[in-house]
Amino acid sequence: MEMIKCKLAIVLSLFLTAALTQATDVKYCTKKAYAVKVKGVDISPFPITRGKETTFSISATADDRISGGKLVIDVAYFGWSIHSETHELCDETSCPVSSGNFVVAHSQVLPGFTPPGSYTLKMRMLDEDKQELTCITFDFSIGFLSETDTLADS
């Protein structure tokens, strides 16, 4: 009986962890061969809540060693560009990046006034010489509830 309870607890914890993150479909910006291949994007927690920190974890593979560079992020709301930001690659992952698998993780708190709806994020990864290593887009949604709405209901 204890063995069944233990297995049930493991299954439930895996289910709950999966419910709090979501793998997102990724599209490349063009059909060219990029030096960095993106395997996927995980968004945690999911669904995204305004006023609460959200982490976008991008799993990728590098053909060659990357010593540094930039991440250029553009966000569109229903197709309209609304936000752009640039980050040092080494602030979002451990540098130097060896050839092979690595993860870029960016966390951000979305303001409480962020409108609900459909968004598209475009991320370009540039090396130190400003050569494009990869370019991806993916869609995500922000719900109607905010962190303050959730806290008020408690």
Side-chain angles (χ1 to χ4, degrees):
M1 188 62 159
E2 287 299 313
M3 181 66 117
I4 293 172
K5 287 182 182 178
C6 182
K7 286 182 181 180
L8 183 60
I10 290 171
V11 170
L12 284 174
S13 67
L14 290 174
F15 175 76
L16 290 174
T17 300
L20 296 176
T21 64
Q22 176 171 344
T24 302
D25 290 332
V26 175
K27 296 175 190 146
Y28 287 101
C29 301
T30 66
K31 294 191 184 286
K32 77 177 197 175
Y34 290 107
V36 171
K37 279 77 172 173
V38 175
K39 297 177 185 178
V41 176
D42 289 322
I43 301 172
S44 176
F46 188 84
I48 296 172
T49 303
R50 295 174 285 148
K52 189 172 183 180
E53 184 174 78
T54 301
T55 300
F56 297 87
S57 298
I58 301 164
S59 303
T61 302
D63 289 345
D64 298 309
R65 182 179 182 273
I66 304 168
S67 54
K70 305 259 186 218
L71 290 178
V72 180
I73 299 170
D74 294 303
V75 179
Y77 179 63
F78 289 109
W80 294 88
S81 180
I82 59 163
H83 181 75
S84 294
E85 56 189 52
T86 301
H87 299 274
E88 292 294 326
L89 177 62
C90 297
D91 291 343
E92 308 298 325
T93 193
S94 298
C95 284
V97 174
S98 301
S99 62
N101 297 331
F102 70 102
V103 174
V104 173
H106 177 71
S107 297
Q108 189 158 351
V109 175
L110 300 174
F113 58 82
T114 303
S118 298
Y119 291 80
T120 300
L121 187 141
K122 176 180 178 181
M123 185 209 70
R124 295 174 50 228
M125 184 182 297
L126 309 174
D127 67 12
E128 292 178 312
D129 297 323
K130 298 183 182 169
Q131 297 298 310
E132 191 172 71
L133 299 173
T134 198
C135 179
I136 61 167
T137 66
F138 60 90
D139 297 327
F140 65 96
S141 295
I142 297 176
F144 286 93
L145 294 179
S146 69
E147 179 73 4
T148 54
D149 295 334
T150 306
L151 292 175
D153 293 339
S154 300

